Amino acid sequence: MKLLDGQTAIITGAASARGLGKAMASLFAAHGARIAILDLDAAQAEDAAADIGDGHMGLACDVTRKQDCDEAVATVLEAFGQIDILVNNAGITQPLRIMDITHENYDAVLDVNLLGTLNMSQSVIPHMRGRKSGKLINMSSVSAQRGGGIFGGPHYSAAKAGILGLTKAMARELAPDGIRSNAICPGFIATDITGGKLTPEMMDQILGGIPMGRAGEASDVAGCALFLASELSAYVTGSEIDVNGGSLIH
């Protein structure tokens, strides 16, 4: 059974071959969705879209720029006619300690993770409101819940915690319009977001805190996103779903 047959999904920050966004794009496509991959580099976004099959599209978009988001949404609507799902996946991190965070570091991390989520959501909400239907899926992190302790600095924890608050506020405001808003909180997932800066010692420490004893895979997160994007979660909104192997148990 194809859970997303005939639907259209925008996934931001999805051009990285080993990233969460690409895994979600592939799984959504396998379940019948048309995918628009948004990333900073147009060629990389187009290549990623081609990788997952025919009929998908890749677009350049800097989510920190509202105009970019508006233009990307307009292009997707012109090509596909509708947007059913938005996954706010674009994000960056920096392994800084509290006293090392500069204003520039703060702006970079907060703008991509938190402002980018707001910008893209604002760009698709009018269309979703008009159709009385839509699913917003926002990528938070276990770092928001436990105050870091994995890789990103305190400003990353703050940005991802902000996403949780924004997700819940959007869920409350948009529910009467038929729009659901949920967040996913991954634990340590084996992707390229750390930029090769994760030392073997850091890896050992991280794995020591995960009861399941392994790093997560991008597919672990993609499966959760598919649930939130489909009608299997029709009565779920304002939630934060943990995908962390037990590293944080509420």
Side-chain angles (χ1 to χ4, degrees), residues 101-193:
I101 299 168
T102 66
H103 196 161
E104 290 74 20
N105 298 139
Y106 177 90
D107 282 350
V109 169
L110 269 288
D111 282 359
V112 175
N113 289 284
L114 185 52
L115 178 61
T117 296
L118 175 64
N119 282 343
M120 276 305 310
S121 298
Q122 286 180 328
S123 294
V124 302
I125 284 168
H127 169 74
M128 290 181 172
R129 272 184 162 151
R131 299 179 67 226
K132 287 289 183 180
S133 176
K135 284 91 66 164
L136 306 175
I137 302 170
N138 303 320
M139 299 308 299
S140 183
S141 170
V142 69
S143 292
Q145 300 162 316
R146 55 179 274 175
I150 293 188
F151 182 81
H155 54 332
Y156 179 75
S157 294
K160 292 300 190 180
I163 287 172
L164 292 181
L166 179 61
T167 297
K168 294 172 189 294
M170 289 197 300
R172 189 178 296 277
E173 183 174 339
L174 299 174
D177 298 304
I179 301 169
R180 297 192 286 111
S181 171
N182 292 289
I184 300 175
C185 298
F188 181 72
I189 310 294
T191 69
D192 295 328
I193 193 172

Side-chain angles (χ1 to χ4, degrees), residues 63-86:
V63 296
T64 69
R65 291 169 44 87
K66 181 61 162 53
Q67 183 176 345
D68 278 22
C69 299
D70 289 342
E71 290 174 356
V73 166
T75 301
V76 174
L77 287 175
E78 183 177 358
F80 294 149
Q82 66 192 64
I83 298 167
D84 304 276
I85 303 153
L86 169 64

Side-chain angles (χ1 to χ4, degrees), residues 194-219:
T194 59
K197 295 178 181 177
L198 195 66
T199 66
E201 293 77 16
M202 292 167 70
M203 177 65 86
D204 289 344
Q205 183 179 0
I206 290 168
L207 294 180
I210 301 174
M212 289 184 71
R214 68 169 176 87
E217 300 292 335
S219 59

Side-chain angles (χ1 to χ4, degrees), residues 154 209 218 227:
F227 165 70

Side-chain angles (χ1 to χ4, degrees), residues 78-102:
E78 183 177 358
F80 294 149
Q82 66 192 64
I83 298 167
D84 304 276
I85 303 153
L86 169 64
V87 181
N88 284 304
N89 173 71
I92 60 170
T93 188
Q94 296 170 340
L96 299 175
R97 298 181 71 81
I98 186 69
M99 295 304 295
D100 298 325
I101 299 168
T102 66

Side-chain angles (χ1 to χ4, degrees), residues 9-91:
I10 291 177
I11 306 177
T12 67
S16 175
R18 296 181 63 240
L20 301 182
K22 182 73 175 296
M24 288 185 274
S26 298
L27 185 59
F28 285 15
H31 277 270
R34 295 167 297 185
I35 310 298
I37 287 178
L38 275 51
D39 217 303
L40 289 172
D41 185 278
Q44 290 180 4
E46 290 165 4
D47 288 347
D51 281 347
I52 62 175
D54 296 331
H56 309 293
M57 68 189 307
L59 297 171
C61 180
D62 179 348
V63 296
T64 69
R65 291 169 44 87
K66 181 61 162 53
Q67 183 176 345
D68 278 22
C69 299
D70 289 342
E71 290 174 356
V73 166
T75 301
V76 174
L77 287 175
E78 183 177 358
F80 294 149
Q82 66 192 64
I83 298 167
D84 304 276
I85 303 153
L86 169 64
V87 181
N88 284 304
N89 173 71

